[in-house]
Amino acid sequence: MLYKFTLLSLIVVLCNLHAKAQESIIIAKGNPVITDKYTADPAAFVYGDSVYLYTGHDVAPKSKNNYEMHEWLCYSSADMITWKAHPSPLNVKDFKWAKDDAWASQVVERDGKFYWYVATEHATIRGKSIGVAVADNPRGPFKDALGKALITNDMTTDVKITWDDIDPSVIIDNDGQAYLFWGNQKCYYAKLKKNMIELDGSIKTINIPDFTEAPWIHKRKNWYYLSYASGFPEKIVYAMSKNINGPWEYKGILNKIAGNSNTNHQAIIDFKGKSYFIYHNGSINTDGGSYRRSVCIDYLHYNNDGTIKRIVMTSEGVKKAN
Ligand code: FUB
């Protein structure tokens, strides 16, 4: 018995050492933050004293004018400058029902568990779908929480495209109610049950102008903010509401077209007293572009009335957060 226990402990220690050995350190030198890989569709959240940044991984060769993405990546930082690159904690292959395409995603924490909502192509139900993986640690390993997709294309029939069920964004409101937002061409939302892996009620659509994709839902001082990609090539715009069920008041452009990438996909967080706008562009000047994107970070500033100032995209990026 003691022998078995010791062996098990040894295996756990060796696994941890292996994971640590695969970690590498990145010191951001302005934007883009990560330059050794193409990273896209950032999502981030603060846990403990660190920011956890999750991205997709663009691996399309320069000759290919389409997305090629098979896994998601995880980075963490206690100061927004020194980033730990963790071993990839989630791959499309971790969802047995999925075919390919590790598209946009978001991780949220509830009661010490970490839920990773992802968009990916379904193997048997035509179109994109949303799955959810779960872990006990923000760095994973994550495993499929449901064994099937949470949202499939046949559940949303408002638009006749096969990629309208993408770009999940989740908020847990102050009263504990969680909501999932997602969409392309139509913005959808639904309540999630407390277990975070089942819908609680029907799927609703949101009436906001010129919605393309990439909804990001966040709350600050009793205002709900719904930012999203608009037009194509995309700029990021936003709407505000005092009620998560709307009506949403359109507030205009938050971030202009990047110029070097068709998409711009944003995440918005507060960390150590500052607000950040995390997005991607195609600015790595060797092979970067719409299908080889890179995560960037700039400051986000609120006005006194809660509206948000236009983002200034910089190549210097942000300073060390203390
Ligand atoms: O990365 C694939 C798709 O491109 C995402 O799902 C969209 O938000 C856009 O960034």
Side-chain angles (χ1 to χ4, degrees), residues 21-52:
Q22 284 183 289
E23 272 178 13
S24 60
I25 298 291
I26 293 166
I27 310 289
K29 296 181 187 69
N31 283 324
V33 172
I34 297 146
T35 53
D36 65 330
K37 280 187 179 123
Y38 291 111
T39 52
D41 302 327
F45 81 114
V46 177
Y47 185 67
D49 75 341
S50 292
V51 170
Y52 283 84

Side-chain angles (χ1 to χ4, degrees), residues 40-41 67 69 103-104 166-167 213-214 234 263-265 280 293:
D41 302 327
Y67 301 114
M69 309 173 82
W103 281 20
I166 62 167
D167 296 357
E213 57 184 5
E234 298 174 344
T263 60
N264 202 220
H265 203 112
H280 68 222
R293 300 162 291 179

